[in-house]
Amino acid sequence: MTSLPTTTTNRSISWLLLLSLWLLVYQTKAFVPSGHHDSIRPNLAASSPKRSSSLLVTQPPPIPTSSRLLMGYQKPEDSPSANTGSTTKKKPLTPQVGDLVRYYDLDGGNPQGQELVGKITFLTKLAGGAGYLAELRELEDLGDGYFGEYSFQKRMRKKTDRDITQVSPLSASFVRSEDAFKVPYDATTQRVKVRQEQYDLEDWQGPVIQYDPDVVKADGILYSQI
């Protein structure tokens, strides 16, 4: 009966040794250096099944050489359209009712006459089809390049007729705050700056007749009040 404790103690020591050995082996496998991981890992690439072809990333087809060249920068002079000899044709400047023009009034003393600015109010074909006559309404010079309408009573006295070849079109813009037209001046001559000396009349077939019935009705009422 005295040998039983010794046997029990020996068994406990054996179990402790086995547990220590097992822990030592486990720690050795768990903390393998990073350089040796690949040696103990299974070959996943060899063992894994092939992926579906629908998940594969495909590359776009190569761009043809001609298309790649067109995608590059081309100088304007090297472009195909540069060698066709085509040029943008300037739109002819033809007279229209409402245009502002420069004309001269031969009032004596000055061979060329007094420079005036007026608005085309009507275009009439001359007898025999020799040309067109422009009815002009003179505008009042307000200074600083502004030209405005005369009072209604004076407008009828400020009308005159000129051959369409004797007027020069102007660049003008209406300034609402001044209730007048702004006409650019030539800095050198200090005279109104014309777009060109004459209209382009070579292929002009006459004015396009356009009218607003409401405007005609309103003008008739005003005319009846004169």
Side-chain angles (χ1 to χ4, degrees):
M1 297 297 291
T2 57
S3 62
L4 182 58
T6 305
T7 305
T8 303
T9 302
N10 292 336
R11 288 180 179 179
S12 299
I13 294 173
S14 298
W15 280 109
L16 289 174
L17 291 173
L18 289 173
L19 181 60
S20 299
L21 180 62
W22 180 84
L23 290 175
L24 179 62
V25 172
Y26 175 78
Q27 291 178 355
T28 304
K29 291 183 177 181
F31 297 98
V32 175
S34 60
H36 299 277
H37 282 180
D38 295 338
S39 62
I40 64 175
R41 290 179 180 175
N43 191 354
L44 297 179
S47 62
S48 62
K50 294 184 179 180
R51 295 183 180 180
S52 174
S53 59
S54 61
L55 298 179
L56 296 178
V57 179
T58 59
Q59 295 183 352
I63 302 175
T65 305
S66 58
S67 301
R68 292 201 299 267
L69 292 176
L70 291 176
M71 292 170 62
Y73 172 75
Q74 287 183 324
K75 296 181 180 180
E77 59 270 18
D78 296 337
S79 62
S81 59
N83 299 323
T84 57
S86 59
T87 56
T88 304
K89 187 176 181 180
K90 178 184 175 183
K91 184 178 180 181
L93 183 60
T94 56
Q96 303 288 338
V97 172
D99 286 355
L100 263 63
V101 296
R102 180 201 66 186
Y103 63 103
Y104 295 99
D105 185 18
L106 302 178
D107 58 352
N110 187 343
Q112 192 174 23
Q114 180 185 2
E115 183 181 68
L116 300 175
V117 172
K119 180 191 292 185
I120 298 178
T121 56
F122 203 75
L123 291 165
T124 307
K125 193 171 186 177
L126 295 173
Y132 280 86
L133 198 67
E135 181 186 83
L136 307 176
R137 186 167 65 215
E138 181 185 342
L139 298 180
E140 183 179 7
D141 189 353
L142 304 176
D144 295 329
Y146 289 101
F147 291 83
E149 298 277 6
Y150 281 99
S151 62
F152 186 77
Q153 292 77 11
K154 292 183 179 180
R155 289 181 190 177
M156 299 303 295
R157 302 197 303 267
K158 295 295 182 179
K159 285 189 175 182
T160 185
D161 294 330
R162 290 290 187 278
D163 190 288
I164 195 62
T165 60
Q166 297 175 349
V167 301
S168 303
L170 299 173
S171 295
S173 56
F174 185 76
V175 182
R176 189 176 297 276
S177 60
E178 300 291 338
D179 193 26
F181 294 94
K182 178 67 174 179
V183 179
Y185 267 75
D186 191 311
T188 303
T189 63
Q190 293 300 312
R191 302 169 69 177
V192 292
K193 190 175 183 179
V194 299
R195 298 177 65 181
Q196 54 192 51
E197 286 298 324
Q198 288 187 351
Y199 281 106
D200 298 320
L201 304 173
E202 184 176 355
D203 298 323
W204 185 53
Q205 302 298 324
V208 178
I209 300 176
Q210 296 179 347
Y211 67 93
D212 188 335
D214 295 333
V215 174
V216 174
K217 183 178 180 180
D219 289 344
I221 296 174
L222 293 174
Y223 185 79
S224 63
Q225 297 174 356
I226 298 177

